[in-house]
Amino acid sequence: MPESRTASPEPSRPLRVVVFASGRGSNFAALIKAQRRDELSIDIVALFSDRSTAPALELARAAGIEAIALKPRDYASRADFDRAIFDRAAQLTPDLIVLAGFMRIIDPAVVAPWVGCMINIHPSLLPKYPGLHTHARALEAGDAEHGSSVHYVTAELDGGPVVAQASLPIINGDTPESLAARLLPLEHRLLVATVSLIANGEIALRDNLVVHRGHALTAPLRLDANDNLR
Ligand code: GRF
């Protein structure tokens, strides 16, 4: 369990990161790739999944990262499972937990000690469309743009303070599938850029406000064409 409420690296070592994923793991793969290219000063210590067949687990093994799958059906309740998986993660003393396609609503009591040390990537421009089917909902609403958000995880589903967003225009003929496909590479860039800011100690959560280089954000940072967050 983290001692402070904010993920902050010690100057002497890279940020220790644990990733949780339920499926494909392309955002996890983007973190591995950036770390390998020395674009991210992080140490990815483990990948956790709630699905033993998640392709993300294979990606971890192939990268030499510890891959841990726990099965929800082995636990008496949802909360028991959540406690077990987070207790296991805590043993690895991560500075930051990244939820990258982890398709579970986590028990609020389990989330509480990690507030400030856990982020999630969500495929919508929050506060629009928390929950599922975000691409279809953006299309149904007739939105001109869509996007993705990285936010600190709090007890409220997809409701924690948003750190950064990336957006793209919705074009004529878009379907939920085409929108998801165009958004995915942007999501990868957004996640890498956000984790990089955290690893460099430039972002923290204080009193439920995202603080960027000492200043509380009044709006989420936006990803520009050069992958900088402004
Ligand atoms: C991404 O769209 C992410 O925003 C959402 O789940 C998806 C995960 O994709 N939370 P992947 O498993 O990282 O490929």
Side-chain angles (χ1 to χ4, degrees), residues 31-98:
L31 292 176
I32 296 173
K33 197 167 157 192
Q35 188 261 334
R36 294 261 156 104
R37 289 180 172 167
D38 283 334
E39 291 163 9
L40 263 186
S41 173
I42 63 171
D43 185 7
I44 306 175
V45 289
L47 182 280
F48 283 80
S49 188
D50 58 329
R51 295 195 187 147
S52 51
T53 55
L57 290 161
E58 256 329 295
L59 291 175
R61 290 183 196 111
I65 294 168
E66 189 174 5
I68 300 162
L70 272 66
K71 291 188 191 132
R73 67 166 180 267
D74 290 344
Y75 297 84
S77 68
R78 294 183 63 85
D80 279 357
F81 173 81
D82 292 348
R83 260 192 301 278
I85 197 166
F86 277 83
D87 281 354
R88 188 85 187 268
Q91 288 167 13
L92 300 171
T93 61
D95 299 306
L96 179 69
I97 294 181
V98 177

Side-chain angles (χ1 to χ4, degrees), residues 24-27 101 121-123 187:
R24 179 176 56 182
S26 69
N27 281 283
I121 181 154
H122 179 76
E187 293 202 75

Side-chain angles (χ1 to χ4, degrees), residues 22-196:
S22 299
R24 179 176 56 182
S26 69
N27 281 283
F28 169 54
L31 292 176
I32 296 173
K33 197 167 157 192
Q35 188 261 334
R36 294 261 156 104
R37 289 180 172 167
D38 283 334
E39 291 163 9
L40 263 186
S41 173
I42 63 171
D43 185 7
I44 306 175
V45 289
L47 182 280
F48 283 80
S49 188
D50 58 329
R51 295 195 187 147
S52 51
T53 55
L57 290 161
E58 256 329 295
L59 291 175
R61 290 183 196 111
I65 294 168
E66 189 174 5
I68 300 162
L70 272 66
K71 291 188 191 132
R73 67 166 180 267
D74 290 344
Y75 297 84
S77 68
R78 294 183 63 85
D80 279 357
F81 173 81
D82 292 348
R83 260 192 301 278
I85 197 166
F86 277 83
D87 281 354
R88 188 85 187 268
Q91 288 167 13
L92 300 171
T93 61
D95 299 306
L96 179 69
I97 294 181
V98 177
L99 305 183
F102 188 60
M103 303 304 287
R104 290 182 65 85
I105 297 171
I106 304 162
D107 187 78
V110 175
V111 169
W114 294 96
V115 172
C117 304
M118 177 155 64
I119 58 172
N120 177 48
I121 181 154
H122 179 76
S124 80
L125 295 172
L126 291 169
K128 282 187 166 184
Y129 317 130
L132 298 174
H133 311 302
T134 58
H135 315 301
R137 287 156 73 195
L139 287 171
E140 273 158 27
D143 290 354
E145 63 165 10
H146 186 46
S148 183
S149 306
V150 175
H151 66 92
Y152 281 103
V153 177
T154 61
E156 192 189 340
L157 176 69
D158 300 326
V162 178
V163 181
Q165 294 181 321
S167 60
L168 81 185
I170 293 181
I171 55 181
N172 250 348
D174 257 334
T175 62
E177 293 73 29
S178 70
L179 207 43
R182 274 191 298 122
L183 184 58
L184 193 63
L186 259 187
E187 293 202 75
H188 299 160
R189 291 164 45 202
L190 176 68
L191 184 61
V192 168
T194 307
V195 171
S196 175

